[in-house]
């Protein structure tokens, strides 16, 4: 993970943007919309190309560093398309 930004509204809705690079130094940006401890991957950019995570099933698992960053801010369940991840 290289960077993350977290925004939260007064009603508990939040957005998190996490930037990372893979082992080939390709940049990735994960955008997660959340409420409380539940989140949903709402956007994904791979090497500058936007991919709709609700349609494209290219992403099978979230990288461990992304899961850890989300857990650090209290998001323990993340849905990516039809796949669901939980720290529980």
């Amino acid at each position: 993970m290289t960077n993350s930004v977290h925004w939260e509204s007064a009603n508990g809705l939040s957005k998190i943007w996490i930037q990372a690079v893979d082992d080939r130094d390709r940049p990735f940006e994960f955008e997660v919309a959340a409420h409380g401890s539940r989140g949903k991957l709402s956007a994904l950019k791979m090497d500058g190309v936007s991919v709709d995570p609700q349609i494209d099933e290219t992403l099978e698992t979230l990288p461990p560093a992304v899961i850890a960053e989300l857990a650090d801010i209290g998001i323990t369940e993340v849905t990516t398309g039809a796949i669901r991840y939980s720290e529980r």
Side-chain angles (χ1 to χ4, degrees), residues 6-56:
H6 178 225
W7 170 86
E8 188 168 349
S9 70
N11 65 1
L13 295 175
S14 60
K15 276 212 174 178
I16 302 90
W17 295 269
I18 299 173
Q19 296 173 336
V21 293
D22 68 3
D23 55 349
R24 296 186 210 166
D25 288 330
R26 294 178 297 191
F28 286 75
E29 183 176 306
F30 301 86
E31 180 181 298
V32 176
H35 186 260
S37 65
R38 299 177 135 195
K40 182 175 184 178
L41 184 64
S42 56
L44 173 64
K45 284 186 183 176
M46 297 186 293
D47 205 9
V49 177
S50 293
V51 176
D52 185 344
Q54 309 312 310
I55 297 172
D56 191 318

Side-chain angles (χ1 to χ4, degrees), residues 55-68:
I55 297 172
D56 191 318
E57 296 181 8
T58 303
L59 182 68
E60 294 179 7
T61 61
L62 287 174
V66 172
I67 293 171

